[in-house]
């Protein structure tokens, strides 16, 4: 066993203090060295434990550090961020034609996830629209909707094809053509007959295909926040106009406010399917 100089001095000092003069054996030295080292290890362990206790005293469960009472800490109050969204329209197709009673085929692009396809058909007021999706007859509509600016010289009808639809066919016919069938249009054969029997007349007709998506915003034009969303109150004495072909609400005439204004159907300047 290697003995350090400090350990040897401590042994000799202890030998002189206890009055023994008979000499020190190797076994005595060995025992005393072991005792000295145990005592020092215990002292060192106590010091380390005290240090850890001091650190632990400043640390709360969950990793929260305690702060002495005389030290002020805090976070400056920050405004709560608001997250809104706005609609963004991407026009992907525009087409114009001038003959009613013809069937027009339109290819619809695949739309990205989270977008909506809107097909707006501008047509003479009261004209009727029949349409097919991927070759399957879907429905008939009346051109009775007003644009967002409420311009009464214009009228339209709006379609919202499903995401998987790739081909849309439409036929605009003069008002009364569907009633001329003498019964409700129940399928493709009836729809084709209505188009075939309709007179060919000139009209200014336009088709616009729009992909509508939303993007996040924190302000600016068109940015809407969840806490601002609400339903516009219906004007007093409103007269509701419906599509005579499918019963959809297309406009509300405000007669009770003395202005005789016209509001689009709830949901914007175009109805839904």
């Amino acid at each position: 066993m290697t003995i350090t100089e400090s350990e040897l001095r401590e042994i000799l000092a202890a030998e002189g203090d206890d009055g023994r003069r008979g000499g020190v054996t190797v076994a005595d030295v060995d025992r005393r060295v072991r005792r000295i080292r145990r005592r020092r290890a215990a002292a060192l362990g106590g010091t380390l434990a005290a240090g850890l206790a001091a650190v632990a005293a400043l640390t709360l469960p969950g990793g929260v550090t305690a702060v002495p009472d005389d030290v002020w800490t805090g976070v400056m109050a920050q405004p709560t961020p608001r997250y809104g969204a706005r609609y963004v329209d991407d026009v992907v197709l525009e087409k114009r034609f001038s003959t009613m009673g013809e069937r027009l085929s339109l290819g619809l692009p695949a739309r990205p996830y989270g977008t909506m396809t809107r097909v707006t058909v501008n047509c003479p007021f009261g004209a009727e629209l029949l349409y097919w999706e991927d070759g399957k007859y879907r429905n008939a509509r009346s051109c009775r909707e007003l644009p967002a600016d409420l311009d009464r010289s214009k009228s339209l009808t709006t379609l919202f094809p499903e995401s998987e639809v790739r081909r849309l066919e439409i036929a605009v016919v003069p008002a009364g053509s569907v009633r001329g069938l003498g019964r409700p249009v129940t399928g493709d054969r009836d729809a084709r007959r209505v188009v075939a029997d309709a007179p060919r007349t000139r009209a200014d007709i336009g088709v616009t295909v729009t992909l509508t998506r939303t993007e996040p915003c924190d302000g600016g034009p068109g940015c809407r926040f969840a806490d601002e969303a609400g339903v516009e109150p219906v004007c007093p004495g409103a007269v509701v106009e419906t599509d005579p072909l499918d019963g959809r609400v297309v406009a509300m005439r405000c007669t009770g406010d003395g202005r005789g204004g016209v509001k689009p159907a709830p949901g914007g300047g175009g109805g839904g399917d």
Side-chain angles (χ1 to χ4, degrees):
M1 175 183 297
T2 302
I3 302 175
T4 64
E5 180 179 354
S6 61
E7 290 170 345
L8 181 57
R9 289 179 181 277
E10 189 171 342
I11 292 172
L12 295 177
E15 181 68 18
D17 291 340
D18 60 14
R20 296 176 55 185
R21 296 293 184 270
V24 180
T25 65
V26 174
D28 291 334
V29 171
D30 182 68
R31 284 194 301 272
R32 293 188 181 188
V33 167
R34 291 180 184 278
R35 192 161 53 244
I36 291 170
R37 289 181 176 176
R38 283 197 302 269
R39 186 172 67 248
R40 290 180 178 177
L44 179 60
T47 302
L48 179 60
L52 291 175
V55 173
L58 293 177
T59 305
L60 300 177
V64 180
T65 302
V67 181
D69 292 339
D70 58 345
V71 178
W72 179 88
T73 60
V75 177
M76 294 290 291
Q78 300 292 330
T80 302
R82 300 180 72 199
Y83 302 98
R86 65 165 54 91
Y87 288 109
V88 179
D89 290 336
D90 298 318
V91 176
V92 296
L93 176 65
E94 288 185 295
K95 199 161 189 175
R96 304 191 71 83
F97 58 104
S98 58
T99 303
M100 289 198 291
E102 292 184 347
R103 189 164 164 175
L104 176 68
S105 180
L106 303 169
L108 300 180
R111 70 188 192 196
Y113 176 78
T115 63
M116 175 181 65
T117 302
R118 184 175 77 250
V119 180
T120 304
V121 182
N122 297 94
C123 40
F125 185 83
E128 297 167 351
L129 170 75
L130 297 92
Y131 67 99
W132 294 255
E133 294 178 347
D134 289 334
K136 182 179 179 180
Y137 173 73
R138 301 299 299 179
N139 209 343
R141 293 285 183 82
S142 295
C143 291
R144 292 178 176 271
E145 302 170 24
L146 293 178
D149 59 5
L150 303 181
D151 185 348
R152 298 190 186 189
S153 66
K154 303 176 183 177
S155 57
L156 55 90
T157 189
T158 311
L159 309 176
F160 294 92
E162 297 293 335
S163 60
E164 64 273 10
V165 175
R166 290 293 175 268
R167 182 166 57 93
L168 180 70
E169 295 171 274
I170 63 172
V172 179
V173 294
S177 297
V178 174
R179 291 195 301 273
L181 183 64
R183 64 177 184 275
V185 178
T186 58
D188 181 70
R189 179 177 297 181
D190 288 344
R192 289 177 179 271
R193 181 174 174 180
V194 169
V195 176
D197 292 345
R200 302 295 189 267
T201 58
R202 305 286 293 179
D204 185 15
I205 302 172
V207 181
T208 303
V209 179
T210 305
L211 294 182
T212 301
R213 55 186 169 85
T214 59
E215 65 177 15
C217 59
D218 55 11
C223 191
R224 299 294 299 273
F225 300 93
D227 57 356
E228 293 179 347
V231 178
E232 182 180 357
V234 178
C235 51
V239 177
V240 178
E241 292 188 7
T242 60
D243 190 321
L245 295 182
D246 58 19
R248 292 180 313 124
V249 175
V250 296
M252 292 182 296
R253 295 191 177 276
C254 302
T255 58
D257 59 4
R259 293 178 296 174
V262 178
K263 291 180 177 291
D273 276 349

